[in-house]
Amino acid sequence: MLDKLKIALVLLVIGSMSGLLIWGTNELTADRIEENRERARLAVYVEMFPDVDVNKMVFDSVEGSNIVEIITMLDSDNNLLGYALRGSHNNPFGVVNVVIGVDRNNSIIDVKITETDNTPTYVSLLPNFLRNLRSQDIRDVSYDTSTGATSTYNSVRSIIEDAKLLVAGDTILEAYQEVISAAASYQLLFEFSDETFAIEYLIKDDAGQRIGYAYHATVDGKELALIVDQDDTFLGFVGIGHSDLDSAFTAFEDYQDTAIKDITLDVSGSLEDQIATVFEAVQTLLTTTMHATYDNLVRFFEVFDDSDELIGYAYIGRAEGYNGDNVMKVTINLDGEFVKLEELSTNDTPNFFDLAFSAFEPFYGQTSISQDDAIDGYAGASASGASLYLIISSALSYHAERMAE
Amino acid sequence: MAKQVKKSKQELSKLQNLTKGFLKENPIFVFLLGMCPALAVTSTLETSFGMGVLVIFVLVLSNVVVALIKDFIPKEVKIPSYIVIISTFVTIVGMLTEAYAPLLHESLGIFIPLIVVNCLILGRAESYASKNNVLNSAIDGLGMALGFMFALMAIGFVREFMATGAIAYGVFLPLPFEGSIVNLETYLFNIAVFSGPAGGFIVIGTLLAIYNGFEIRKQKKAELERQKLIEEKKRIALEKKRQRELESAGGKA
């Protein structure tokens, strides 16, 4: 007992002394470190805006975004030079701080990583990616593909995307609000491949309630969205960031406020026909599948065997993995048993994802999965495993609730 | 008496203790300890020097503290205690560098906190400071860290020179002047690979080969000397034997 007390006491003394020394050093250096950081940031601003009057910079903090501060740059005659947007994002390897310089015409002057804990070797892979952003319009910025430094790249991209929203305004949300005035936010549900429409968004109101769905497609080089309410009543088409297709949309006004599955289109005209193709593709989707109103689930549909007999339900779910969202299909039979897991899309590292995926195969035939059992299986691939667990357990719970109803 | 002779053979003088890490027990070229910073931060002479200074600070102070409190630390928690002590000094050195040499701090980046897991530092705490007095531990820490710094600087010198043709100063360190020496950048030396990780491996490999080449030559030379000495002794013994035989033959006659 005395020995254990002695160990505890020694560790306590060592820990306390360490804490005291670190506290003292922090007291001594904190102000100077902050000054250095401020000076380094100022040097970046001046490099981006050589004519700026440093005494006339206006600092505005931002909340709820990866952008933490917007600095308005004025010259000595009070002429607007542009904006510096200071952003910060955390990825699994630490923090990435970025400054984006934008001139008064919304053209990117430069993007610089000012501070990061990410592995220097990977950070050093980014200069070309950053250089290629220069002179692009931030409202319509396009990115080079991943650079080999995926986490740092994704952090920089997230910061730029938020800067884009702040500079350009949210053109998508503004478009939705033309049709659903209560629209306050939207969330990516699904990205389609080989479909007439590309993306499905969930539209939410101020309270975070589902109030509709939007299906984005491109017609004649212009992006549009077909919008339905939460009961799949067709509400109309809107152009995203433009009004070029508005005249073609008038052909669909007669069908507004009708359940999409009950609509039979009768429109004519070249553009109208192309828009009608989008409409019919969405109509087919919404007729054959149903929205899953559950966290981590997108939709579900019935599964039939070769003789057209109902044998179960398939649930499409998405949840955040190691490198963005994993999208999976979970099949559940009529007895409520989990019978199949299929990958629809993932950006996770294949070896880790495969390890996590195979950890769930032993659960085939079960009606529920305990988190403790699942974790044992996917140890070593925790991010991918946790994402798959969320999707499968959500599908099983949602299925059980539906059946109980 | 024999015991005393043996003891004095084992115990090094203060000077020998200080200098043993320079070449004979060099952490990088002999023990291959601390290879992570040796590869990662030696792209320039200045960053190598900077990392060397930080390691001197941490190694000397952690050796001193470990030697001071070694008798109070229960053996069950020796390693965790050493790690806490080392990480304290690493945190302090990190803060000081960020405050007074921000460019060096930015350049060394993540490799400053990684000094905590430098095998050299924990190795000296466990193998030397925990068994010796404060003064000897401080000298050992200083000598080993200087040896480590010299090795880093040798690697950094070759890498920077091969990559840029020049050796710059005042870029990362808070010196009141900056410039470059031996500037041959317009000539042959502009081989970018040497500033990257591959260059680190190439240079360390080459320097290790050169160092070991010298060591092997030295050993061979010493072996040759030893053989010569043995031959000489044999010859003298043989001559003495012959002389004795001649003397005894002359006496008989």
Side-chain angles (χ1 to χ4, degrees):
Chain A
M1 185 65 187
L2 270 177
D3 285 349
K4 282 182 181 166
L5 270 176
K6 189 189 168 193
I7 290 174
L9 189 69
V10 168
L11 289 175
L12 181 71
V13 170
I14 293 175
S16 306
M17 292 304 292
S18 297
L20 207 64
L21 278 171
I22 292 170
W23 172 80
T25 314
N26 184 51
E27 285 294 302
L28 185 76
T29 55
D31 291 343
R32 204 180 165 106
I33 289 173
E34 195 45 51
E35 265 175 41
N36 286 340
R37 287 180 182 169
E38 197 56 50
R39 203 175 299 135
R41 280 201 290 267
L42 202 65
V44 171
Y45 301 151
V46 172
E47 193 187 330
M48 287 180 178
F49 300 92
D51 297 330
V52 71
D53 184 334
V54 288
N55 299 315
K56 288 183 177 170
M57 287 180 181
V58 182
F59 295 84
D60 292 309
S61 51
V62 179
E63 282 175 12
S65 165
N66 286 316
I67 299 294
V68 293
E69 194 172 46
I70 300 178
I71 304 103
T72 308
M73 303 292 177
L74 304 169
D75 67 9
S76 50
D77 299 324
N78 286 333
N79 295 315
L80 177 69
L81 300 172
Y83 303 92
L85 297 106
R86 188 161 70 81
S88 185
H89 186 265
N90 278 298
N91 62 36
F93 299 98
V95 72
V96 179
N97 290 340
V98 168
V99 171
I100 304 163
V102 180
D103 71 13
R104 59 185 174 184
N105 300 316
N106 297 319
S107 176
I108 297 175
I109 297 171
D110 206 351
V111 179
K112 278 189 186 298
I113 297 174
T114 52
E115 209 179 346
T116 181
D117 298 334
N118 287 192
T119 315
T121 314
Y122 290 113
V123 176
S124 68
L125 296 172
L126 287 183
N128 273 340
F129 160 69
L130 298 176
R131 208 171 297 125
N132 290 341
L133 296 167
R134 288 181 195 164
S135 304
Q136 289 198 47
D137 189 323
I138 193 161
R139 294 166 301 179
D140 189 26
V141 67
S142 65
Y143 306 95
D144 288 350
T145 47
S146 189
T147 52
T150 317
S151 290
T152 319
Y153 170 89
N154 285 339
S155 289
V156 175
R157 197 172 162 156
S158 301
I159 293 169
I160 296 174
E161 281 298 313
D162 279 5
K164 189 170 154 182
L165 289 180
L166 286 168
V167 172
D170 193 338
T171 49
I172 294 177
L173 190 62
E174 282 164 12
Y176 293 168
Q177 283 166 343
E178 285 177 31
V179 179
I180 310 181
S181 56
S185 65
Y186 57 92
Q187 177 192 328
L188 174 69
L189 278 187
F190 201 76
E191 288 165 285
F192 297 90
S193 55
D194 305 324
E195 294 283 350
T196 316
F197 46 93
I199 303 172
E200 180 185 33
Y201 284 115
L202 167 66
I203 305 171
K204 294 179 175 178
D205 64 10
D206 265 342
Q209 296 298 313
R210 294 164 182 255
I211 53 171
Y213 298 89
Y215 299 85
H216 287 229
T218 302
V219 167
D220 200 28
K222 304 278 188 305
E223 189 176 357
L224 59 79
L226 182 158
I227 297 178
V228 296
D229 70 6
Q230 72 273 29
D231 300 319
D232 290 347
T233 302
F234 174 62
L235 298 179
F237 280 105
V238 283
I240 305 295
H242 63 88
S243 54
D244 300 357
L245 299 173
D246 283 3
S247 58
F249 293 156
T250 53
F252 297 84
E253 281 175 357
D254 291 346
Y255 304 103
Q256 282 174 6
D257 301 322
T258 310
I260 196 164
K261 62 182 177 190
D262 297 334
I263 296 172
T264 307
L265 284 181
D266 182 17
V267 292
S268 59
S270 162
L271 271 179
E272 285 81 351
D273 282 346
Q274 289 179 59
I275 297 169
T277 310
V278 174
F279 182 94
E280 281 157 4
V282 175
Q283 191 179 39
T284 306
L285 176 80
L286 296 181
T287 310
T288 52
T289 69
M290 286 144 277
H291 302 293
T293 52
Y294 213 77
D295 284 348
N296 303 116
L297 293 181
V298 175
R299 68 165 55 78
F300 66 96
F301 50 90
E302 294 166 324
V303 180
F304 299 94
D305 67 6
D306 291 342
S307 53
D308 279 346
E309 197 167 323
L310 179 69
I311 54 167
Y313 295 88
Y315 293 82
I316 310 291
R318 70 182 302 137
E320 192 178 357
Y322 182 74
N323 238 343
D325 284 353
N326 289 318
V327 183
M328 310 296 296
K329 186 164 113 182
V330 180
T331 308
I332 297 173
N333 66 16
L334 293 177
D335 296 326
E337 294 165 350
F338 164 46
V339 290
K340 200 173 180 187
L341 179 65
E342 290 166 75
E343 172 212 326
L344 298 184
S345 85
T346 180
N347 285 319
D348 286 1
T349 315
N351 289 347
F352 291 103
F353 181 83
D354 293 346
L355 177 68
F357 187 95
S358 56
F360 287 96
E361 285 170 345
F363 294 99
Y364 285 177
Q366 296 195 14
T367 53
S368 66
I369 296 177
S370 99
Q371 189 167 12
D372 290 344
D373 291 344
I375 283 173
D376 287 344
Y378 62 69
S382 3
S384 301
S387 147
L388 301 191
Y389 170 77
L390 274 177
I391 295 170
I392 298 165
S393 57
S394 300
L396 286 166
S397 305
Y398 185 57
H399 180 81
E401 280 179 25
R402 282 185 51 245
M403 293 302 117
E405 283 168 13
Chain B
M1 182 69 184
K3 207 175 175 184
Q4 252 184 350
V5 171
K6 202 178 170 188
K7 197 180 169 194
S8 65
K9 252 186 176 180
Q10 279 176 345
E11 273 186 8
L12 302 172
S13 71
K14 301 265 184 291
L15 186 65
Q16 283 172 321
N17 191 15
L18 179 73
T19 54
K20 69 178 188 288
F22 294 3
L23 278 176
K24 202 176 156 195
E25 294 182 21
N26 188 284
I28 289 185
F29 294 134
V30 178
F31 295 126
L32 301 183
L33 291 172
M35 296 306 282
C36 172
L39 284 164
V41 302
T42 53
S43 54
T44 71
L45 180 66
E46 243 187 352
T47 50
S48 311
F49 175 72
M51 175 56 86
V53 173
L54 304 192
V55 170
I56 290 174
F57 180 90
V58 175
L59 187 50
V60 172
L61 288 178
S62 59
N63 262 13
V64 167
V65 173
V66 169
L68 263 176
I69 61 172
K70 62 180 186 294
D71 298 332
F72 303 104
I73 303 177
K75 68 174 189 309
E76 298 91 330
V77 291
K78 256 167 48 173
I79 300 296
S81 304
Y82 297 162
I83 291 282
V84 172
I85 293 164
I86 293 166
S87 51
T88 302
F89 289 117
V90 171
T91 308
I92 290 171
V93 90
M95 288 173 171
L96 291 173
T97 317
E98 191 171 6
Y100 298 102
L103 291 178
L104 180 68
H105 182 270
E106 191 184 328
S107 160
L108 296 180
I110 190 68
F111 297 103
I112 295 180
L114 281 180
I115 295 174
V116 175
V117 287
N118 188 323
C119 327
L120 167 64
I121 296 170
L122 189 61
R124 294 323 290 176
E126 168 62 15
S127 68
Y128 195 93
S130 65
K131 294 165 191 152
N132 288 279
N133 65 31
V134 175
L135 182 63
N136 282 340
S137 299
I139 294 171
D140 172 79
L142 181 63
M144 281 291 168
L146 281 171
F148 183 73
M149 186 175 80
F150 294 152
L152 289 190
M153 287 175 69
I155 299 164
F157 181 89
V158 176
R159 287 181 67 186
E160 185 176 358
F161 188 64
M162 297 302 282
T164 66
I167 301 295
Y169 54 85
V171 180
F172 299 111
L173 294 176
L175 302 178
F177 39 80
E178 64 178 84
S180 61
I181 51 172
V182 270
N183 194 337
L184 296 174
E185 60 187 317
T186 49
Y187 298 98
L188 288 174
F189 303 94
N190 221 328
I191 313 165
V193 72
F194 282 100
S195 65
F201 279 105
I202 293 168
V203 172
I204 288 180
T206 311
L207 290 179
L208 271 173
I210 293 169
Y211 179 84
N212 283 314
F214 276 120
E215 281 298 302
I216 290 166
R217 264 178 69 179
K218 219 163 90 179
Q219 280 168 12
K220 274 185 182 167
K221 208 174 160 187
E223 181 64 20
L224 211 65
E225 291 291 324
R226 203 172 65 86
Q227 288 294 343
K228 268 186 190 169
L229 202 69
I230 292 168
E231 291 296 324
E232 184 66 16
K233 276 184 180 172
K234 274 184 186 171
R235 192 183 59 76
I236 290 169
L238 204 64
E239 268 181 17
K240 277 184 181 169
K241 193 181 168 189
R242 273 186 196 153
Q243 205 162 2
R244 272 201 303 274
E245 280 172 359
L246 281 173
E247 277 171 9
S248 66
K252 277 179 190 174

